């Protein structure tokens, strides 16, 4: 029970550290290049770091399929991959899910997850903006 609580707290701390790193990297890149580049750099560096972590785990475990590697992941690696990188960018988590589905032979699920997230994500954001602008903003403004 205590080990699960410590892992949960470590994941929370890792997520907070990853989110702070995302803010710093994104802001610095955006300031030096262009605002759109900040997000792209964060997403791609997060994916790269997740790939490096998985590559190290493949070498450590000898497992070929990512699902087996993930099942054998020590808590410290889980905190880094899920906590820190999860807080840094959720794109790395999406990429891992798609790759795991693909490797397991679930091609339709991999395509659906990848395309669905990329194509529907902006639409869902727009929906949230529309709902908030029409329902919550007038209410918060007292109108």
């Amino acid at each position: 029970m205590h080990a699960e609580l410590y892992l949960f707290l470590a994941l929370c701390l890792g997520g907070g550290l990853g989110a702070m790193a995302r803010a710093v990297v994104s802001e610095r890149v955006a300031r030096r290049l262009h605002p759109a580049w900040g997000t792209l750099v964060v997403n791609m560096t997060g994916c790269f770091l997740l790939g490096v972590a998985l590559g190290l785990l493949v070498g450590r475990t000898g497992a070929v399929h990512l699902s087996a590697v993930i099942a054998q992941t020590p808590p410290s690696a889980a905190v880094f991959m899920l906590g820190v990188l999860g807080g840094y960018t959720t794109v790395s988590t999406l990429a891992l899910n798609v790759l795991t589905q693909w490797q397991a032979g679930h091609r339709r699920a991999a395509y659906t997850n990848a395309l669905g997230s990329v194509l529907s994500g902006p639409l869902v954001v727009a929906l949230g903006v529309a709902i908030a602008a029409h329902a919550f903003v007038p209410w918060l403004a007292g109108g």
Side-chain angles (χ1 to χ4, degrees):
M1 178 72 171
H2 285 67
E4 292 173 358
L5 177 61
Y6 290 135
L7 180 59
F8 173 76
L9 293 174
L11 286 168
C12 291
L13 178 62
L17 293 173
M20 289 187 296
R22 175 184 62 226
V24 169
V25 171
S26 180
E27 187 272 329
R28 288 188 178 173
V29 170
R31 189 171 2 116
R32 288 192 177 121
L33 299 175
H34 186 274
W37 283 97
T39 300
L40 181 63
V41 167
V42 165
N43 289 340
M44 294 304 101
T45 56
C47 287
F48 177 75
L49 291 172
L50 180 65
V52 169
L54 285 170
L56 293 172
L57 288 171
V58 166
R60 180 179 178 268
T61 64
V64 176
H65 292 285
L66 291 178
S67 57
V69 173
I70 293 167
Q72 299 176 43
T73 300
S76 59
V79 167
F80 176 71
M81 293 188 312
L82 300 176
V84 175
L85 292 179
Y88 184 68
T89 173
T90 57
V91 171
S92 61
T93 308
L94 170 65
L96 174 61
N97 287 338
V98 169
L99 185 58
T100 302
Q101 291 166 341
W102 183 270
Q103 231 185 24
H106 304 297
R107 304 292 198 261
R108 179 175 282 156
Y111 281 122
T112 301
N113 198 355
L115 293 175
S117 295
V118 171
L119 297 176
S120 65
L123 296 174
V124 174
V125 169
L127 177 64
V129 168
I131 290 171
H134 294 294
F136 296 114
V137 171
W139 177 75
L140 290 172

